[in-house]
Amino acid sequence: TERTLSIIKPDATSRNLTGKINAKFEEAGLRIVAQKRILLTKAQAGEFYKVHAERPFYDELCEFMASAPVVVQVLEGENAIAKNREVMGATNPADAAEGTIRAEFAQSVGENSVHGSDAPETAAEEIAYYFSGLELVG
Ligand code: GTP
Ligand code: MG
């Protein structure tokens, strides 16, 4: 069993979609083993997304992630990283498969409702960025 870091982004929390998105994770067999709603500063969002610092959309991405609360969560399950990315769908909602979170809820390539870690190393780093060991129970 594996863990991944998921974020329900500002466009989704502000449209009151947290429960609908969590239902998608649970239907796919992912367990929400930690979860909290926080308001990131632009600096905190920038630190989290620093791998994208050279991309043209970086500033817009950081502004967006700090524009309203996010729900950060740890999802657990068999192949949780890949399974979560499958449930999320493609980054651009126009390319996302039917039934995925981004196909159903995302508004644009930027305001695309969810984030999910992309590999075991980044999952471990991203979980540690938002959660202490004490907040993580199986
Ligand atoms: P994450 O799970 O959020 O990391 O998405 P991803 O892995 O599917 O995409 P990627 O890591 O390539 O990009 C990170 C995030 O940057 C995306 O989820 C988008 O929110 C944002 N992003 C990516 N491309 C664009 C773009 O062309 N324009 C804007 N405004 N945002 C973008
Ligand atoms: Mg990514």
Side-chain angles (χ1 to χ4, degrees):
T1 165
E2 190 175 65
R3 285 176 173 176
T4 191
L5 190 278
S6 166
I7 304 178
I8 302 179
K9 294 184 178 180
D11 67 287
T13 61
S14 54
R15 286 178 291 146
N16 212 18
L17 293 170
T18 299
K20 283 186 172 151
I21 289 172
N22 278 348
K24 294 268 196 198
F25 295 141
E26 292 183 340
E27 281 159 17
L30 293 163
R31 302 182 73 82
I32 301 162
V33 298
Q35 174 167 260
K36 58 190 172 188
R37 184 173 180 274
I38 58 175
L39 180 59
L40 294 170
T41 64
K42 192 178 169 186
Q44 289 166 337
E47 174 65 22
F48 179 74
Y49 274 123
K50 65 183 177 212
V51 294
H52 297 307
E54 303 307 318
R55 309 276 284 274
F57 56 81
Y58 180 66
D59 193 65
E60 191 184 327
L61 174 62
C62 298
E63 286 276 358
F64 166 61
M65 291 300 288
S67 67
V70 295
V71 173
V72 293
Q73 47 194 190
V74 179
L75 307 180
E76 186 179 271
E78 214 60 55
N79 296 312
I81 296 168
K83 187 175 283 181
N84 179 39
R85 291 184 71 83
E86 193 179 308
V87 176
M88 286 163 53
T91 309
N92 185 341
D95 303 327
E98 199 179 326
T100 61
I101 291 168
R102 283 166 169 166
E104 270 187 45
F105 303 122
Q107 301 186 299
S108 66
V109 66
E111 304 199 1
N112 61 0
S113 303
V114 281
H115 163 85
S117 308
D118 57 15
E121 305 71 45
T122 49
E125 273 174 37
E126 291 179 2
I127 289 169
Y129 189 71
Y130 292 110
F131 294 96
S132 76
L134 285 173
E135 293 176 299
L136 286 161
V137 290

